[in-house]
């Protein structure tokens, strides 16, 4: 019976397939095969032995069922794989399996292969999401809306600015993922304390040759493990990606509030149900799920960082923890990337509400522009700020009066501003600064991102 939601509710087939037990076993067999090939090339074991090990290092021969049965007896996962592979090899080839290696040579090198595949999936999703958001930035770069700071109406901005900001951030997340891959996805074959002693003076050559066969960089130095600062970095990058997706989801959730309703998730009126008791509800469930799952992903960072300070050349406290956090973090990060792609591909815009909210404060959001124009006309900046603030407070108290009407009632301001000046100043659609240029530059630079 399924227990964990990843088993039946969360995750995509492409990422789950990477971390399923058969693929993990195959990756460990790939490392055992690479070890035998490296040793044959360097004259440590006969080539025909290496070929036999390579041919049998496959889950068609070394089945998960058999390995699990051996592990129930040995209580050691890698020793069970070694025995399972050895018993499939013809003649005495099985005697050479795992020669010179320790368990974590196999674990860490095979995990690097899993991480490499996972990162490729994550990068493809980030690229796809970024392009969707860039398209939205292009389409909405002149769609003026109210900008909010501290949850309050501040100044006009554009939806193009919102989307371009997110696209720029996703580009940085892509770069962080690329950088973490260089440190994380490395091979090792260094023995019990990292010295390659079991392989003698040629051991370091085996280490490098195994990495070459696996198409991975070789670790610079290890003890019995690839150092876990690399893994913590990767987990922090995934947590950081989750914060970006959470940021996007929170903005959509807020903008879908009933009293705001500027944009929101697509809701299928024919099939979708918003509430089991309130027939009118159309909830932002996709965005809420992104936000909820992102909290879980971020929580893994603490565990990953605590896995770095192990005892002496290593202990085993990281192992059980990593069996949980590595697959879950990769699966869930990929999952919410998928959800965000769905969310951003199906946004619904409510243009009338965007315009309504832009003008909700009856001109108060143009106070900064009034102050600036008065200063340009010759009034001191501090004086202009004080006068406009006084007028804004009055207009805010009297909900029947526009800010422009209060301004026009001030005789001392008439020598600075005409009615025509004021009419232009109070138009929020003409107070978005360099926003179009900024978005265009993001769009232009994005051509070289991927």
């Amino acid at each position: 019976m399924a227990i964990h939601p990843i088993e039946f509710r969360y995750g995509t087939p492409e990422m789950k397939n990477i971390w399923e037990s058969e693929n993990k076993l195959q990756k460990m067999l790939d490392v055992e095969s690479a070890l035998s090939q490296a040793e044959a090339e360097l004259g440590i074991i006969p080539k025909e032995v290496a070929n036999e090990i390579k041919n049998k290092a496959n889950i068609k021969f070394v089945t998960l069922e058999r390995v699990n049965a051996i592990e129930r007896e040995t209580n050691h996962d890698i020793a069970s794989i070694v025995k399972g592979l050895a018993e499939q090899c013809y003649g005495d080839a099985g005697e050479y399996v795992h020669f010179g290696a320790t368990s974590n040579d196999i674990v860490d090198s095979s995990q690097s292969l899993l991480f490499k595949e996972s990162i490729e999936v994550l990068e493809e999703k980030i690229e796809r999401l970024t392009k969707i958001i860039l398209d939205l930035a292009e389409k909405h770069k002149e769609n003026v809306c109210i900008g909010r700071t501290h949850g309050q109406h501040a100044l006009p901005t554009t939806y193009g600015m919102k989307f371009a900001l997110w696209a720029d951030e996703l580009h940085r997340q892509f770069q962080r993922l690329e950088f973490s891959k260089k440190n994380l996805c490395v091979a090792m074959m260094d023995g019990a304390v990292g010295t390659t002693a079991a392989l003698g003076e040629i051991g370091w050559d085996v280490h490098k040759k195994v990495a070459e066969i696996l198409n991975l960089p070789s670790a610079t130095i290890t003890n019995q493990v690839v150092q876990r600062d690399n893994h913590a970095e990767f987990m922090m990058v995934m947590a950081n990606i989750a914060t970006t997706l959470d940021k996007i989801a929170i903005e959509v959730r807020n903008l879908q509030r009933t009293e705001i309703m500027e944009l929101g998730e697509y809701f299928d009126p024919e099939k979708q149900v918003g509430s089991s008791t309130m027939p009118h509800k159309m909830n932002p469930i996709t965005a809420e799920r992104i936000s909820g799952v992102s909290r879980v992903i971020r929580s893994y960072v603490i565990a990953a960082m605590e896995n770095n300070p192990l005892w002496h050349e290593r202990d085993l406290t990281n192992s059980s923890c990593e069996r949980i956090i590595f697959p879950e973090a990769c699966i869930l990060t990929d999952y919410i990337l998928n959800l965000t792609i769905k969310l951003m591909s199906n946004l619904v815009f409510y243009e009338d509400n965007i315009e309504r909210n832009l003008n909700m404060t009856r001109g108060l959001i143009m106070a900064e522009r009034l102050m600036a124009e008065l200063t340009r006309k010759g009034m001191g900046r501090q004086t202009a700020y004080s006068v406009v603030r006084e007028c804004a407070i009055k207009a805010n108290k009297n909900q029947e009066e526009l800010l422009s009407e209060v301004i026009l009632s001030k005789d001392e301001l008439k020598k600075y501003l005409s009615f025509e000046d004021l009419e232009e100043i109070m138009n929020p659609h003409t107070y978005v600064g360099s926003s179009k240029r900024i978005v265009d530059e993001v769009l232009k630079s994005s051509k070289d991102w991927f």
Side-chain angles (χ1 to χ4, degrees):
M1 183 177 68
I3 295 174
H4 199 299
I6 282 177
E7 297 177 83
F8 58 90
R9 191 175 184 91
Y10 304 145
T12 67
E14 55 265 37
M15 187 62 82
K16 286 184 177 181
N17 289 342
I18 293 171
W19 290 94
E20 51 105 15
S21 297
E22 286 80 4
N23 190 50
K24 289 173 67 176
L25 174 56
Q26 183 58 61
K27 292 297 185 291
M28 287 188 273
L29 292 169
D30 290 343
V31 177
E32 291 286 3
S33 173
L35 172 60
S36 67
Q37 292 172 68
E39 290 175 337
E41 286 188 39
L42 294 167
I44 299 174
I45 67 173
K47 288 186 178 179
E48 59 271 20
V49 165
N51 288 335
E52 176 64 9
I53 293 172
K54 179 182 178 181
N55 290 337
K56 296 298 171 57
N58 191 291
I59 56 174
K60 291 187 297 183
F61 299 102
V62 187
T63 66
L64 184 62
E65 291 76 15
R66 176 56 182 156
V67 170
N68 288 341
I70 299 170
E71 186 177 353
R72 285 192 289 272
E73 298 173 358
T74 63
N75 201 28
H76 196 289
D77 54 352
I78 303 303
S80 302
I81 294 169
V82 171
K83 183 177 180 180
L85 175 56
E87 67 185 17
Q88 290 295 320
C89 292
Y90 181 76
D92 66 349
E95 296 292 336
Y96 294 87
V97 173
H98 200 68
F99 176 65
T102 192
S103 296
N104 223 72
D105 291 320
I106 311 305
V107 170
D108 277 5
S109 296
S110 64
Q111 279 187 162
S112 290
L113 296 172
L114 297 172
F115 287 134
K116 186 178 179 182
E117 289 185 359
S118 299
I119 289 170
E120 287 171 358
V121 171
L122 294 174
E123 287 180 337
E124 188 276 328
K125 299 284 178 70
I126 292 174
E127 180 176 349
R128 199 191 323 167
L129 175 60
T130 304
K131 288 178 178 176
I132 291 167
I133 294 176
L134 285 167
D135 287 342
L136 288 167
E138 172 72 55
K139 183 177 179 180
H140 293 277
K141 63 184 176 183
E142 296 186 55
N143 191 350
V144 180
C145 61
I146 185 61
R148 299 169 176 87
T149 60
H150 305 277
Q152 309 293 306
H153 286 205
L155 295 174
T157 184
T158 68
Y159 270 101
M161 285 285 289
K162 286 180 184 287
F163 296 131
L165 188 81
W166 296 341
D168 188 55
E169 184 168 329
L170 283 166
H171 171 50
R172 292 194 296 277
Q173 301 294 18
F174 188 94
Q175 290 176 317
R176 291 182 182 110
L177 203 52
E178 278 281 285
F179 185 82
S180 70
K181 179 167 64 175
K182 294 176 183 177
N183 292 328
L184 178 71
C185 298
V186 296
M188 64 174 287
M189 195 57 62
D190 300 336
V193 293
T195 63
T196 76
L199 293 167
E201 294 182 0
I202 204 171
W204 195 239
D205 297 315
V206 173
H207 165 85
K208 292 186 175 181
K209 180 59 70 173
V210 167
E212 180 186 321
I213 293 168
L214 293 173
N215 196 28
L216 293 171
S218 59
T220 306
I221 183 173
T222 69
N223 38 35
Q224 197 188 93
V225 296
V226 173
Q227 297 307 285
R228 262 41 192 176
D229 64 298
N230 300 298
H231 301 70
E233 177 185 42
F234 176 57
M235 298 296 284
M236 284 187 278
V237 169
M238 286 196 288
N240 206 346
I241 292 169
T243 67
T244 298
L245 305 183
D246 190 14
K247 175 190 295 186
I248 293 170
I250 286 172
E251 185 70 3
V252 172
R253 288 164 56 200
N254 269 313
L255 292 171
Q256 194 174 329
R257 288 174 184 265
T258 304
E259 60 271 26
I260 296 176
M261 194 56 77
E262 293 187 13
L263 57 77
E265 296 182 15
Y266 172 74
F267 185 92
D268 184 350
E270 299 297 323
K271 300 176 182 177
Q272 195 169 342
V273 174
S275 167
S276 63
T277 186
M278 295 174 283
H280 68 285
K281 293 297 293 298
M282 294 187 289
N283 302 327
I285 57 169
T286 302
E288 288 176 333
R289 188 174 295 181
I290 293 165
S291 293
V293 173
S294 73
R295 296 171 187 172
V296 179
I297 296 166
R298 291 195 290 268
S299 74
Y300 295 137
V301 171
I302 298 299
M305 294 184 76
E306 289 181 350
N307 285 339
N308 191 30
L310 304 177
W311 287 8
H312 304 296
E313 273 57 57
R314 84 156 301 194
D315 60 54
L316 205 60
T317 54
N318 65 300
S319 177
S320 53
C321 175
E322 290 173 353
R323 291 172 192 265
I324 299 168
I325 66 173
F326 288 164
E328 288 191 5
C330 290
I331 290 168
L332 293 178
T333 302
D334 172 61
Y335 175 63
I336 62 172
L337 272 166
N338 237 43
L339 288 182
T340 312
I341 288 169
K342 173 187 173 184
L343 176 68
M344 301 309 290
S345 298
N346 297 284
L347 281 181
V348 179
F349 288 81
Y350 302 95
E351 299 294 344
D352 290 346
N353 292 344
I354 293 171
E355 186 66 19
R356 179 202 68 194
N357 292 336
L358 185 61
N359 295 289
M360 181 180 290
T361 62
R362 300 170 59 80
L364 289 176
I365 62 169
M366 305 312 293
E368 180 195 68
R369 190 179 194 181
L370 275 166
M371 177 195 69
E373 290 301 323
L374 285 169
T375 303
R376 289 189 184 95
K377 297 284 188 178
M379 183 180 284
R381 190 270 179 196
Q382 309 308 328
T383 302
Y385 180 91
S386 178
V387 170
V388 173
R389 181 176 180 275
E390 179 186 333
C391 292
I393 290 173
K394 183 179 178 183
N396 197 31
K397 284 183 178 179
N398 183 4
Q399 293 296 309
E400 299 299 319
E401 199 167 17
L402 298 171
L403 176 58
S404 58
E405 293 172 346
V406 178
I407 292 291
L408 285 172
S409 71
K410 292 281 187 179
D411 291 336
E412 66 269 31
L413 299 182
K414 291 179 181 177
K415 64 179 180 178
Y416 294 101
L417 299 173
S418 67
F419 177 81
E420 290 75 17
D421 290 335
L422 200 58
E423 193 172 34
E424 172 61 22
I425 289 169
M426 299 304 292
N427 182 358
H429 292 274
T430 60
Y431 194 58
V432 289
S434 303
S435 62
K436 185 174 180 295
R437 180 180 175 185
I438 293 167
V439 172
D440 282 339
E441 288 192 6
V442 171
L443 292 169
K444 183 180 178 181
S445 66
S446 70
K447 293 177 182 178
D448 301 322
W449 282 1
F450 303 110

